[in-house]
Amino acid sequence: SSITGAASLNVLKAGDTMTGNLTFTKADPSILLDVTTATDTDFWLGVQDDGLGTDDDKFQIGDGLTPGTNPFLTINTAGNVGIGTTAPSVAKLQVAGDAAVRKGDKLLLDADDATADTYLVRNSGATTVSWFVDGTEIATLKKQTEVR
């Protein structure tokens, strides 16, 4: 079923369900997550449509109650994910600001200026880390074991 012209849709009780799709059709469709405590942070998620008819809209998540403002996470139509940037373009994951890598073998460091890529690779056993510039290894850091 569909609701036409409704200003809001409310869940009547926990456990209420619906079948089918819930579709939002409008420019910049969004969902607001408005907490009841006035001093707590509210969030929004939605599609930001540039209105040009091109396939370059963005799915975003941000805080506040005004969709499109203060986005934290952006996914573009190429599938690139940006954290701290609204225009992820250099890699599948682009982080503007500090980031921590807890698992994985390669960390790409890119100045976003079309110069040679720099990356660090943790080698097997995590005893060495190699530093590469434009595909050429320029240094290797080796874990030192202290003997007393």
Side-chain angles (χ1 to χ4, degrees):
S1 67
S2 64
I3 299 173
T4 303
S8 63
L9 174 66
N10 297 308
V11 175
L12 300 177
K13 64 180 181 179
D16 279 355
T17 62
M18 65 173 272
T19 59
N21 297 322
L22 178 60
T23 303
F24 298 88
T25 305
K26 66 177 283 262
D28 300 329
S30 299
I31 297 173
L32 301 178
L33 306 171
D34 186 2
V35 297
T36 57
T37 306
T39 56
D40 284 348
T41 302
D42 302 311
F43 289 90
W44 58 266
L45 58 110
V47 174
Q48 301 306 307
D49 181 355
D50 66 3
L52 299 176
T54 55
D55 189 25
D56 61 353
D57 303 331
K58 300 170 186 170
F59 174 78
Q60 295 182 317
I61 298 174
D63 75 349
L65 291 175
T66 306
T69 60
N70 203 27
F72 299 133
L73 180 122
T74 299
I75 303 173
N76 66 19
T77 55
N80 294 347
V81 176
I83 300 173
T85 178
T86 59
S89 61
V90 299
K92 283 297 176 189
L93 175 63
Q94 183 176 340
V95 178
D98 294 339
V101 177
R102 300 285 184 217
K103 295 242 180 202
D105 294 323
K106 187 176 185 179
L107 175 63
L108 173 65
L109 307 170
D110 185 7
D112 195 23
D113 61 1
T115 60
D117 289 335
T118 300
Y119 56 93
L120 302 174
V121 176
R122 180 189 67 169
N123 297 317
S124 63
T127 58
T128 63
V129 173
S130 298
W131 180 9
F132 290 81
V133 175
D134 200 23
T136 302
E137 184 175 5
I138 63 167
T140 299
L141 306 172
K142 185 174 183 178
K143 181 179 179 181
Q144 294 279 330
T145 305
E146 186 174 298
V147 178
R148 292 181 186 214

